[in-house]
Amino acid sequence: MLLKTTSECFADLRDHPVSEHEWDNPEVTATSLTEGSAAYFDWLTRAVSPNVTQG
């Protein structure tokens, strides 16, 4: 599974599978994106914003 979020939101994203997974130690890792288009990073920031309505 690949999930995308910002550094600021990573802890929330990490905590759910770690607490709910049947394994004692599921692998949850982060990969830093250091390069990319401004449009993509703008979209990602908007997509993980708590103000975004899911639909």
Side-chain angles (χ1 to χ4, degrees):
M1 175 183 339
L2 176 63
L3 304 171
K4 300 174 185 179
T5 193
T6 61
S7 297
E8 296 80 16
C9 296
F10 177 73
D12 291 334
L13 186 68
R14 174 202 60 218
D15 291 348
H16 181 74
V18 168
S19 67
E20 299 299 320
H21 201 282
E22 64 185 42
W23 297 349
D24 292 334
N25 188 24
E27 179 181 352
V28 178
T29 59
T31 301
S32 180
L33 297 177
T34 59
E35 298 290 333
S37 71
Y40 173 76
F41 286 122
D42 288 344
W43 167 83
L44 179 59
T45 300
R46 288 190 316 274
V48 299
S49 170
N51 298 324
V52 172
T53 302
Q54 300 297 318

